[in-house]
Amino acid sequence: MKSDKKRIGVFVCHCGINIAGTVNIPEVVKRLKEQADVIEVIDHQYCCSDPGQNLIKETIKEKKLDSVVVACCSPTLHEPTFRKTVSSVGINPYNCEIANIREQCSWVTDDKEKATDKATKIIKTIIKKVEHDEPLTPITIPVTRKALVIGAGVAGIQTALDIATAGYPVILLDKNPSIGGHMSQLSETFPTLDCSQCILTPKMVEAKQHPNITLMTYSEIESISGYLGNFKVKVRQKAKYVDWDKCTGCDVCVDKCPKKTPDEFNHGLTQRKAIYKMFPQAVPNRVVIDAPNCLYLEKGACRLCEKHCPFGAIKFDDQDQITELEVGALVMATGYELLDKQMLGSYGFGKLKNVVDGLQFERILSASGPFMGEVKRPSDGKIPEKVVFVQCAGSRDPENAMAYCSKICCMYTAKQAILYKHRVHHGEPIIFYIDVRTGGKGFEEFYKRATDEGVLYIRGKVSKIFEKGDKVIVWGADTLTGKKIEVEADLVVLSTAMKPAATKEFAQLLKLTQDEYGWFTEAHPKLRPVETLAGGFFLAGACQGPKDIPEAVAQSSGAASKVIGLFTSDTLEHLPVIAGVNEDMCSGCGICIDVCPYKARELVTTEDGKKRTVKVIEVLCEGCGACSAACPVGAAQQKNFKDQQIQDMVKGGLE
Amino acid sequence: MENFEPKIIGFICKWCTSAGADLAGTSRMKYPPNMIPITVFCSSRIDPQYILWAFKNGADGVFMGGCHPNDCHYQDGNYKTMKRIPILKNLLKELGIEPERLRLAWISASEADKFKKTITEFTESIKKLGPLSINDK
Amino acid sequence: MKQIAYYPGCTLYTKSKNLDLCARETAQILGVELKELETWNCCGAIYSTVQDDLANQVAPIRNLIEAQKISNKLVTLCAACYNVLKRSNHNLFLPENDIYRRRMMNFLDTEYDGKTETVHYLEVLKNDIGFENLKTKVKTNLDGLKVASYYGCLMLRPSDELNFDDPDNPTMMDDMFAALGAEPVEFPFKGECCGGYVLVDKPDVATRCSQTILESIVDAGADCVATTCPLCQYNIDNQQKLMSKQFNLPVFYFTQLLGLALNVDQKILNLDNHYIDPKPLLKQKGLLK
């Protein structure tokens, strides 16, 4: 502890009227001058502005300050700014602290007098903290310059390609046997009507052929440990029962396999075999055996695939393989799923055969789909003469499903209606909508094109869908005429809501936060949209919220550039606000070792061999302070969050 | 009693509750300004002694905010808090401090509304309890 | 024998005696006594949605208080009574209705803690007696009878307050009929409005509503309809004479078919109190001599 007193300066920011509108700043300054043990208290309109920062610098020099408190907005915003400012004039950045008197004071109360009191007290707590702050230097840690991208849809592929092209190795992982994600299921893309597969497959092949990209398909994350720059990830590669080094993807086995099961790629509209390739353009172009459906693996008899494989690639004794990866950064590109139709009771619970969801209709429209691009309906293969599209099926519906707008449905519904009209010229597409949202390049024009090409838009929600004979009856309202509408349709397409594919368990495994619906939470909704609060984890694509393809791709390149930025140096600075050990006080009881979540503490014998004490592996310490609270003698002290400091802060807040 | 303004110390974790409090501010939600927040990295940093210290130094109530179970930024810090606080509450009873004066809540970075409601409700409840009697002696 | 408080309501005392008597009798056979409240008054008939509806709510709440003398459960059969009684209790004990509740208690000059749970007789059959148990008590198996269970609107909605069954896909009555050996028939309008509310005002609209429901029931291949609500029963049965299509489809109260399966006396079944005579159907199916 320093014997001589600190020379503390306090700078109180008005933030225009954001703070000064509620907090009486002159009064705060006056009280601090009277009551707090500080050298100088100055207020300024905008401390974060250049003149504001210059004022701080000048005052530091003039008053020979060694510590600074800035009372302003949340430290998440300007702590780095002011720490840089003070260090430019020779003060250790960790001797500059922020008192949050905006988000947690001026913005949350209208009572000016009380806000002034509260602001003064908050500043006092921080002054108390600064009194015992030590100068700290960041700890340097090495960075493994290799990235792991989880999810190989278009977002994951783009991220991997960008990082790989910058020269860093990438592992691109997907739970399915092939990369490609949902985009490989789509027919054509709005608003240009490019064939989805035609623009995606070159990227898939590029990813496979890129020397810096390693594909790990049919794989899932088992566990993860480590920290920014130094993660250890265990990956489970599911047993494929096929030796992919020998398999050529010739499909002979698929033809011979006798067991059929609903095809996930076609969303149950067709059947696939127990040994299968996800889709013809699959990358890697290999087959896998789906064990629960395989007659041999389940019942012990068949082996037809083995018999007919020209390359001897079938491997019934295949096992799941655990691989441990060392990577420096992870990018989440886990994407979305559609809301289960079973959630939508009044739309038939998913029980009605001729009520399909958006992705099923994409498959119906797709040239490689169940009807080879001819529009037919699932129940009897008839060409539907009248198709009703129901937008916002589960979106913007807080009572039954999701409160949010799924964003892509207006456009893809318009696209599907146009494509339907192109294939069935005399067909009648009818779209029920709440609002048509066309915020995007070329979107409004595309919507116009749909109406011009004969798509009927009815503004209103559909209340009920049921079968009558071989028709699907749709009840809805036309809110523009105020009339009840009944449509006898041949096929109904529900634009079901997008929901995140990542489960809660998956997020917990990775320690990432999700919002109430399960979308991953970004570090800042506006300014840090591709980062998470967990260091080394980045977000790409629709795992963060509903997005269309260009947005997902743009975000993916954003995430990639963050990873590349991280990899430009082979070392990183680690926050020095870690917990240490006072060896003289430490009794070597080891309680702190048990409470440390990072295994950053270990029991050692002192050099003279006289006593046991605890050593801290500084790089591993994340500074949670659990050990400091647990230590019975106060030997474990978190730097700049020492017992004395917190107790003084409490006093400061109560004076 | 009507005009009693309780003194409340709030130990809140940087990653969840403090971020939730920031969001409440950004969303301009209003709640009573009695609580003075002390932001630490993790709720597990809070030694129960600090809470007693706060009561001893004049606090009428102490609020603790952490991440939801399973969401702790430090893996399991909040579980430590979850165990410590009930034990301390038992102890408070014996010290003649109403256990209701200590409130623990899990508030995530997105739960501004929960933060507002919890603080409002807690402040009201402390108002009803009145000043901490040990402080009169 | 287990006693549960029972609230018949006005219609069950007059027009829908068969709904009432069959319920009492079948409950007796199944080991439960539906004990009628010593005194009761109108349920309120329509759940009031006006701002200050103290006067409207006094009626249902008084019945709920009266039930406390017998049990914490109050059984009712009429869909409208069920809807009004259950929602009144729910509404009265919402936290935001503190003042309103105090006014109510002052007016009634009593204390009531909201403990009376309004249950429908179907719920008693399902939860207290059990459909599996019911199966063992069947004397006349309803084998071969295709029944369309029509729930109507009042039993199901608002679902978060009533919490009776899935409003989009109710199954409780269907499950009961399955237990009696009958074949439940699926149709899309189980919870659609029969139009009963506008029967007097706009009979054409009401008739159109019930005709749509009947059409889909006939399309689904049902022999008859079963309902819980006197208004639905009247509207679907009696109004058939006004419809543009003749269905000749018998409309039962569910308790009548339950009584039939449990061999309840014909006098109690009261099969003559129908516009479409159900006896030929039952005879044809061999369920009636």
Side-chain angles (χ1 to χ4, degrees), chain A residues 74 100 103-104 107-108 110 114 118 508 595 597-598 623-626 628-629 638 641 643 647 651 654, chain B residues 5 7 18 22 25 28-31 33 35 37 41-42 44-45 47 50 53-54 57 70 73-75 80:
Chain A
S74 168
N100 181 351
E103 281 82 350
Q104 297 184 9
W107 274 352
V108 291
D110 292 324
K114 285 183 184 167
K118 184 176 179 181
Q508 283 172 356
V595 299
Y598 300 100
C624 67
S628 310
Q638 185 180 5
F641 276 101
D643 282 344
Q647 290 185 356
K651 265 191 166 177
L654 291 169
Chain B
E5 286 298 340
K7 290 180 178 174
S18 184
D22 278 359
R28 309 296 199 277
M29 292 174 175
K30 305 295 175 206
Y31 56 85
M35 188 199 75
F41 278 24
C42 178
S44 69
R45 172 68 190 94
D47 188 330
Y50 305 158
W53 175 261
N57 281 279
N70 262 334
H73 186 77
Y74 301 103
Q75 300 185 19
K80 289 159 195 150

Side-chain angles (χ1 to χ4, degrees), chain A residues 103-116:
Chain A
E103 281 82 350
Q104 297 184 9
C105 180
S106 74
W107 274 352
V108 291
T109 181
D110 292 324
D111 186 324
K112 292 191 178 175
E113 203 173 307
K114 285 183 184 167
T116 308

Side-chain angles (χ1 to χ4, degrees), chain A residues 346-508:
Chain A
S346 42
Y347 295 169
F349 278 104
K351 282 193 212 154
L352 313 180
K353 266 205 147 178
N354 289 328
V355 178
V356 297
D357 64 29
L359 276 175
Q360 284 179 316
F361 198 60
E362 286 295 331
R363 293 310 300 150
I364 292 177
L365 289 169
S366 169
S368 64
F371 309 116
M372 295 302 161
E374 261 192 89
V375 180
K376 293 179 178 174
R377 60 183 204 172
S379 70
D380 51 11
K382 272 192 201 157
I383 292 174
E385 313 269 314
K386 198 178 262 186
V387 178
V388 170
F389 296 87
V390 181
Q391 290 197 176
C392 300
S395 304
R396 304 179 70 191
D397 185 1
E399 286 83 13
N400 299 306
M402 310 303 187
Y404 53 80
C405 164
S406 290
K407 199 173 179 181
I408 60 166
C409 322
C410 285
M411 279 299 113
Y412 87 63
T413 308
K415 174 200 74 182
Q416 290 182 339
I418 290 174
L419 292 179
Y420 164 67
K421 195 79 184 148
H422 288 181
R423 312 270 165 89
V424 184
H425 297 301
H426 62 286
E428 279 182 69
I430 301 171
I431 298 180
F432 280 91
Y433 68 98
I434 308 180
D435 295 294
V436 177
R437 295 180 166 173
T438 59
K441 200 171 164 187
F443 286 9
E444 178 63 21
E445 297 91 318
F446 190 69
Y447 165 49
K448 180 79 179 23
R449 178 175 169 186
T451 54
D452 287 351
E453 292 194 12
V455 178
L456 177 62
Y457 275 81
I458 299 175
R459 185 180 179 278
K461 215 154 156 79
V462 167
S463 63
K464 194 172 177 73
I465 297 173
F466 56 94
E467 272 173 349
K468 188 175 180 186
D470 75 335
K471 297 280 180 187
V472 187
I473 311 296
V474 180
W475 279 3
D478 181 344
T479 53
L480 296 180
T481 59
K483 283 201 177 122
K484 205 181 138 181
I485 288 189
E486 180 175 318
V487 184
E488 276 194 14
D490 298 303
L491 181 69
V492 173
V493 182
L494 302 176
S495 303
T496 36
M498 277 175 119
K499 63 169 198 175
T503 59
K504 203 168 179 237
E505 293 71 38
F506 180 73
Q508 283 172 356

Side-chain angles (χ1 to χ4, degrees), chain A residues 176-394:
Chain A
N176 288 319
S178 169
I179 64 171
H182 282 310
M183 191 176 164
S184 63
Q185 296 176 304
L186 307 183
S187 54
E188 293 167 23
T189 56
F190 63 78
T192 49
L193 299 187
D194 293 288
C195 156
S196 179
Q197 291 234 343
C198 311
I199 54 177
L200 179 69
T201 44
K203 273 196 184 288
M204 289 163 62
V205 175
E206 193 186 344
K208 179 169 189 288
Q209 292 175 342
H210 202 292
N212 281 337
I213 297 181
T214 313
L215 295 185
M216 281 185 95
T217 56
Y218 218 36
S219 300
E220 280 172 3
I221 304 290
E222 189 77 5
S223 68
I224 180 164
S225 61
Y227 48 93
L228 173 63
N230 298 275
F231 293 103
K232 282 199 172 72
V233 185
K234 272 197 187 136
V235 174
R236 176 181 294 273
Q237 282 184 292
K238 289 177 274 188
K240 302 184 275 271
Y241 304 101
V242 175
D243 185 341
W244 277 13
D245 292 333
K246 292 181 183 162
C247 176
T248 63
C250 69
D251 282 357
V252 169
C253 52
V254 179
D255 295 339
K256 297 294 174 192
C257 177
K259 180 67 201 284
K260 286 184 174 175
T261 178
D263 186 354
E264 299 87 356
F265 190 73
N266 280 338
H267 285 262
L269 292 172
T270 54
Q271 304 262 304
R272 65 160 169 81
K273 298 293 183 63
I275 187 164
Y276 71 106
K277 194 186 284 172
M278 261 180 82
F279 52 101
Q281 302 95 321
V283 171
N285 200 305
R286 296 288 182 265
V287 296
V288 293
I289 294 178
D290 150 25
N293 278 303
C294 171
L295 292 175
Y296 176 66
L297 288 169
E298 280 301 295
K299 295 186 181 136
C302 180
R303 307 185 86 144
L304 273 177
C305 51
E306 190 181 37
K307 197 174 147 198
H308 287 94
C309 176
F311 308 100
I314 306 295
K315 206 166 91 183
F316 283 121
D317 60 350
D318 200 11
Q319 301 259 318
D320 287 6
Q321 277 173 16
I322 306 285
T323 315
E324 191 165 298
L325 307 172
E326 287 189 10
V327 294
L330 288 102
V331 181
M332 300 297 119
T334 47
Y336 71 96
E337 294 290 347
L338 288 186
L339 182 78
D340 194 337
K341 282 183 288 181
Q342 284 181 6
M343 295 271 294
L344 303 168
S346 42
Y347 295 169
F349 278 104
K351 282 193 212 154
L352 313 180
K353 266 205 147 178
N354 289 328
V355 178
V356 297
D357 64 29
L359 276 175
Q360 284 179 316
F361 198 60
E362 286 295 331
R363 293 310 300 150
I364 292 177
L365 289 169
S366 169
S368 64
F371 309 116
M372 295 302 161
E374 261 192 89
V375 180
K376 293 179 178 174
R377 60 183 204 172
S379 70
D380 51 11
K382 272 192 201 157
I383 292 174
E385 313 269 314
K386 198 178 262 186
V387 178
V388 170
F389 296 87
V390 181
Q391 290 197 176
C392 300

